[in-house]
């Protein structure tokens, strides 16, 4: 049997809502940071997006996904969001759906989100591209109103970064792992370790932050030429200034550094399950003792931090003298964005 | 029949420039309709202006200096107490809704706003 060929993660911390109705493209175009019109006419099946408040701060992160049998004349999208933010996002959408033919239904009891990722291979297709399984078991039960939208499954390369593998939205407990395939089933906590080690923020810790500071401009999330949407003024201002002074990086607390130099990111095995430091919200200092940033998400001995002025060294410390190994994420190519670190 | 009305209270304040412009562009049976639409603009709600001739049920009528502005019931709740103005500049000639007491924030160009959600 092959060891660790890949993982199948059941993401129990994600919530699925379906948004449909003839005005749903127009409404989402006016609310989210990414270009829905372009997404609808593209072969992409999943799109990363943020919902902002009028001041440009993040309200909620969501992956917008075309329903399995998507047609642009009667569109339906799955909104894949963190379970704690689902009700906030749906209230936000309903508040703005004034005079719009839009319906929203929660599918948490029917649908689940899965992710597959492998430390040894990444998908060949670009981010957001649709994927197909060799075969799938019984088709989902058909609900009278939502049947057309829910029939089948939708699987796509993670729209943020292909190192996160693929994402699948399907009826609950529909995916099975073949014996001797070397694929291991894991839960959402394990996926969170992988996401943090890759330096990709999501979920409640990013609320009220500015998107570019969390590298979202490098994660296929913000369209600068789609026109007006809520919070667009701040996005445009940051973009035209051309400078993002604060960026996000992953960190690890470890004593054993062997085997890290050649890896894309430290493997998930570096996560110390016994560690419980609770570093969220702690400030960090450079070797001159100056406060240069803050940790905004931490779990076990890993986490994500924001550093003002970019990454100048590889070891930073918290104010209570815990050493943090910080690195620039492998996918983070700032030349792909017009905004750079000053 | 006795009809009560107030001369000192109006749902909207209409500037003289705005009233003059409406009179200039509207024909005898026409009026300007102001509509608030959701999910658009930098603030999430956008003001729309149309020239129309047909009234609908529950429309509110505001008359000022001979100009007629009509607002539907849903929209009036979101713009009550605002000032409707017309600006004539080299770059644009535009009707605007200003000083909206129901707005938490207005976008830079003035065409959209974010209401105070209760």
């Amino acid at each position: 049997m092959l060891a660790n060929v890949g993982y199948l993660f059941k993401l129990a911390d994600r919530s699925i809502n379906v948004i449909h109705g003839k005005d749903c493209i127009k409404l989402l175009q006016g609310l989210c940071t990414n270009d829905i019109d372009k997404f609808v006419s593209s072969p992409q099946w999943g799109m990363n997006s943020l919902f902002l408040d009028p001041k440009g701060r993040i309200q909620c992160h969501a992956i917008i996904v075309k329903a399995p049998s998507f047609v642009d004349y009667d569109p339906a999208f799955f909104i894949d969001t963190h379970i704690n933010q689902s009700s906030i996002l749906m209230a936000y959408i309903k508040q703005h759906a004034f005079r719009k033919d839009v319906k929203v239904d929660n599918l948490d009891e029917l649908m689940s989100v899965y992710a597959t990722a492998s430390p040894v291979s990444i998908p060949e297709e670009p981010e957001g591209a649709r994927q197909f399984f060799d075969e799938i078991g019984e088709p989902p039960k058909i609900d009278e109103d939502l049947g057309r939208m829910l029939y089948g499954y939708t699987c796509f390369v993670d729209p943020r970064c292909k190192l996160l593998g693929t994402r699948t939205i399907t009826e609950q407990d529909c995916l099975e792992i073949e014996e001797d395939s070397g694929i291991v089933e894991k839960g959402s906590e394990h996926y969170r370790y992988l996401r943090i080690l890759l330096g990709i923020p999501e979920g409640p810790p990013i609320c009220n932050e500015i998107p570019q500071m969390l590298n979202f401009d490098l994660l296929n999330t913000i369209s600068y030429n789609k026109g007006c949407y809520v919070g667009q003024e701040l996005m445009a201002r940051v973009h035209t200034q051309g400078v993002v002074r604060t960026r996000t990086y992953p960190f690890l607390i470890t004593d054993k550094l062997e085997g890290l130099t050649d890896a894309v990111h430290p493997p998930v095995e570096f996560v110390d399950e016994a560690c419980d430091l609770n570093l969220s919200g702690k400030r960090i200092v450079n070797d001159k003792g100056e406060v240069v940033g803050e940790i905004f998400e931490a779990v076990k001995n890993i986490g994500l931090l924001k550093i003002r002025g970019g990454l100048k060294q590889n070891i930073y410390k918290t104010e209570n003298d815990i050493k943090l190994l910080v690195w620039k994420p492998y996918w983070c190519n700032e030349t792909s964005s017009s905004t750079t670190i000053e | 029949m006795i009809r009560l009305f107030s001369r000192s209270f109006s749902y909207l304040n209409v500037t003289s420039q705005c009233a003059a412009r409406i009179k200039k562009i509207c024909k005898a049976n026409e009026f300007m309709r102001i509509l608030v639409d959701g999910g658009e603009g930098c603030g999430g709600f956008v003001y729309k202006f149309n020239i129309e001739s047909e009234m609908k049920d529950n429309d509110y009528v505001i008359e000022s200096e001979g100009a007629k502005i009509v607002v539907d019931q849903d929209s009036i709740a979101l713009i009550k107490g605002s000032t409707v103005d017309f600006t004539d500049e080299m770059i644009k000639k535009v009707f605007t809704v200003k000083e909206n007491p129901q707005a938490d924030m207005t976008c830079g160009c003035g065409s959209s706003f974010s209401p105070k959600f209760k």
Side-chain angles (χ1 to χ4, degrees):
Chain A
M1 187 178 129
L2 296 166
N4 287 347
V5 170
Y7 299 103
L8 173 71
F9 304 99
K10 185 172 180 186
L11 306 180
D13 62 347
R14 303 297 290 181
S15 170
I16 292 290
N17 288 278
V18 64
I19 177 165
H20 54 112
K22 71 175 171 56
D23 291 332
C24 73
I25 295 176
K26 201 175 170 189
L27 178 69
L28 288 173
Q29 184 73 338
L31 296 181
C32 75
T33 56
N34 219 335
D35 195 336
I36 287 271
D37 285 343
K38 205 169 150 191
F39 172 57
V40 167
S41 55
S42 78
Q44 270 197 334
W45 221 257
M47 184 184 78
N48 198 39
S49 190
L50 293 169
F51 291 83
L52 309 178
D53 69 11
K55 291 176 185 160
R57 302 282 174 151
I58 298 172
Q59 287 252 314
C60 186
H61 162 257
I63 296 176
I64 299 177
V65 185
K66 290 176 188 169
S69 52
F70 182 84
V71 281
D72 56 4
Y73 56 83
D74 185 14
F77 300 95
F78 292 136
I79 311 268
D80 166 5
T81 185
H82 192 276
I83 200 152
N84 294 349
Q85 292 184 313
S86 171
S87 56
I88 300 168
L89 180 59
M90 289 312 114
Y92 178 86
I93 288 175
K94 283 174 190 165
Q95 263 171 1
H96 289 90
F98 186 57
R99 295 183 200 282
K100 295 276 186 287
D101 175 11
V102 169
K103 293 180 202 79
V104 180
D105 291 286
N106 185 274
L107 302 176
D108 286 349
E109 289 182 6
L110 196 67
M111 310 292 276
S112 283
V113 184
Y114 296 87
T116 57
S118 166
V120 291
S121 71
I122 55 169
E124 287 171 13
E125 293 82 359
E127 279 85 356
R130 195 172 192 189
Q131 304 279 287
F132 293 94
F133 289 104
D134 288 341
E135 58 179 69
I136 192 157
E138 290 295 307
K141 293 172 212 92
I142 298 176
D143 180 292
E144 271 186 21
D145 295 331
L146 301 170
R148 184 189 56 74
M149 287 172 254
L150 308 187
Y151 185 81
Y153 66 95
T154 174
C155 177
F156 50 96
V157 180
D158 197 291
R160 293 166 285 186
C161 167
K162 56 167 81 170
L163 293 168
L164 277 171
T166 66
R167 221 169 162 89
T168 305
I169 298 169
T170 182
E171 199 196 8
Q172 285 185 1
D173 306 319
C174 241
L175 291 182
E176 277 181 6
I177 302 170
E178 280 177 16
E179 275 182 38
D180 299 335
S181 62
I183 295 170
V184 185
E185 187 166 351
K186 294 278 184 183
S188 46
E189 195 62 6
H190 209 84
Y191 185 77
R192 188 178 174 203
Y193 302 155
L194 175 70
R195 174 179 66 73
I196 288 177
L197 289 169
L198 278 168
I200 297 171
E202 101 181 3
I206 68 171
C207 280
N208 295 320
E209 299 282 348
I210 293 171
Q212 284 91 341
M213 289 185 180
L214 306 189
N215 304 346
F216 277 111
D217 53 333
L218 310 171
L219 285 165
N220 313 316
T221 310
I222 305 169
S223 167
Y224 291 107
N225 44 22
K226 65 170 272 194
C228 292
Y229 55 89
V230 180
Q232 178 251 351
E233 286 182 324
L234 182 84
M235 295 303 97
R237 197 156 60 237
V238 173
H239 182 62
T240 48
Q241 280 175 348
V243 177
V244 180
R245 291 188 181 85
T246 302
R247 286 288 188 190
T248 291
Y249 303 91
F251 72 82
L252 169 71
I253 301 163
T254 184
D255 295 328
K256 34 174 194 173
L257 295 172
E258 300 84 38
L260 278 181
T261 45
D262 295 336
V264 170
H265 62 81
V268 177
E269 287 72 29
F270 272 77
V271 178
D272 179 5
E273 292 280 356
C275 179
D276 189 15
L277 287 166
N278 195 16
L279 292 172
S280 223
K282 294 275 188 295
R283 295 193 294 180
I284 60 158
V285 293
N286 61 11
D287 48 12
K288 291 177 198 154
E290 299 157 343
V291 174
V292 290
E294 188 191 346
I295 296 170
F296 65 90
E297 182 175 9
V299 56
K300 308 296 176 191
N301 60 332
I302 58 168
L304 295 169
L305 49 78
K306 291 183 291 183
I307 298 178
R308 275 194 300 282
L311 195 65
K312 301 273 167 62
Q313 54 197 68
N314 285 108
I315 305 286
Y316 286 86
K317 282 179 182 176
T318 62
E319 281 184 313
N320 51 352
D321 220 23
I322 299 169
K323 261 190 194 177
L324 311 171
L325 174 68
V326 185
W327 67 96
K328 187 174 165 181
Y330 177 77
W331 52 265
C332 187
N333 177 13
E334 275 148 30
T335 53
S336 66
S337 166
S338 64
T339 44
T340 53
I341 292 172
E342 192 179 53
Chain B
M1 195 206 301
I2 299 170
R3 184 176 288 163
L4 281 173
F5 64 96
S6 163
R7 287 188 194 280
S8 59
F9 172 79
S10 172
Y11 284 103
L12 295 173
N13 306 310
V14 183
T15 62
S16 325
Q17 294 94 311
C18 177
R21 183 67 181 173
I22 294 170
K23 278 194 284 183
K24 193 175 172 188
I25 59 176
C26 288
K27 291 178 192 146
N29 60 339
E30 288 180 334
F31 53 82
M32 185 169 80
R33 179 180 288 279
I34 305 179
L35 185 89
V36 177
D37 208 351
E40 288 178 49
C42 311
F45 286 77
V46 71
Y47 303 114
K48 291 183 174 173
F49 301 87
N50 287 321
I51 302 296
E52 289 183 12
S53 55
E54 282 183 29
M55 296 279 287
K56 291 172 190 156
D57 290 345
N58 302 322
D59 271 345
Y60 284 66
V61 181
I62 296 104
E63 284 191 329
S64 173
E65 299 174 34
K68 192 171 169 187
I69 295 177
V70 171
V71 189
D72 65 275
Q73 200 173 19
D74 293 337
S75 300
I76 198 82
L78 291 164
I79 59 169
K80 201 162 56 182
S82 308
T83 301
V84 189
D85 193 15
F86 176 74
T87 47
D88 186 353
E89 294 165 4
M90 281 292 277
I91 196 167
K92 64 185 176 189
K93 288 182 180 181
V94 65
F95 285 105
T96 51
V97 176
K98 291 177 172 173
E99 297 155 22
N100 184 350
Q102 270 64 246
D104 192 25
M105 238 178 100
T106 305
C107 86
C109 65
S111 63
S112 74
F113 72 106
S114 163
K116 292 172 185 164
F117 289 114
K118 284 159 196 160

